[in-house]
Amino acid sequence: DSVNERYFVTFRDDRDPNFFIYGQFLNADGTPYLTATDINFRILAKDFADHELSSISFDPNSQSYIVVIQELGGGVTSQKFTSEGILYDYNGDTSIDDNMDFAVLDPLPLDGENPSVDFNLGTQEHLAVWSRYIDGFVYEDVDGSHLGLVGEGIEATPIKIADAPNDGQAAPS
């Protein structure tokens, strides 16, 4: 976060007893930004799916973060936070409900793994990308979607980024 001079870090943790993605805001010197009760907060509140990987992008204009998350077994969802760690709701307002997650495509790409997200300052858009796989282990293509106001996917079908005939495309960033 170049505007507020802090970092937002996400990581996988199994303290709950499943794997979930947690986040932590840090000051520029590496000390925790928020109070002790907010240290290592869970990103998605869903208790029915383990989470594997995450990626973050920052929009300096709105001073907000998009976090994209891979759910165990495939599926890519997202959440949007203010630079203060407050979650946005479905209307683009901040919310106290911590279960506002959005599919990057509707329906959710259940075959999606290895998500990554970036922000384009020129177009003012986030782009989420992921690997698509077959049978849970053979990578096929790299797909993507632009994300809307609160992190929801805006394409009806994925953007084809890599679709080579011999397959094997994976781990976009």
Side-chain angles (χ1 to χ4, degrees):
D1 177 345
S2 58
V3 177
N4 300 296
E5 297 182 359
R6 62 179 82 107
Y7 303 99
F8 183 28
V9 178
T10 59
F11 54 93
R12 188 176 89 163
D13 191 306
D14 69 346
R15 70 179 84 173
D16 282 330
N18 297 332
F19 287 112
F20 291 105
I21 300 298
Y22 276 77
Q24 176 62 56
F25 283 93
L26 301 169
N27 293 311
D29 66 1
T31 59
Y33 169 67
L34 299 172
T35 65
T37 58
D38 294 317
I39 291 177
N40 300 162
F41 58 94
R42 193 182 331 173
I43 300 294
L44 282 180
K46 290 195 281 188
D47 289 328
F48 59 85
D50 282 346
H51 304 120
E52 291 289 312
L53 302 170
S54 62
S55 179
I56 304 169
S57 67
F58 178 70
D59 173 355
N61 296 317
S62 67
Q63 297 185 37
S64 62
Y65 295 89
I66 292 281
V67 180
V68 293
I69 298 158
Q70 173 193 325
E71 295 184 359
L72 184 66
V76 179
T77 58
S78 66
Q79 286 190 321
K80 182 177 179 178
F81 293 87
T82 69
S83 61
E84 300 293 317
I86 300 169
L87 187 63
Y88 281 89
D89 69 12
Y90 293 102
N91 299 313
D93 301 319
T94 54
S95 171
I96 58 171
D97 182 354
D98 62 353
N99 199 20
M100 296 290 183
D101 61 296
F102 302 94
V104 296
L105 283 180
D106 190 14
L108 184 67
L110 294 177
D111 57 353
E113 286 193 347
N114 304 306
S116 186
V117 64
D118 200 4
F119 181 75
N120 183 321
L121 192 57
T123 63
Q124 304 294 302
E125 293 178 315
H126 293 272
L127 177 69
V129 295
W130 60 90
S131 302
R132 186 161 42 91
Y133 64 95
I134 302 171
D135 298 328
F137 63 92
V138 178
Y139 290 99
E140 183 177 274
D141 298 323
V142 173
D143 294 338
S145 179
H146 291 96
L147 303 179
L149 175 66
V150 293
E152 77 284 9
I154 59 176
E155 270 83 28
T157 58
I159 300 167
K160 295 293 179 198
I161 295 170
D163 190 12
N166 294 328
D167 301 325
Q169 296 82 40
S173 65

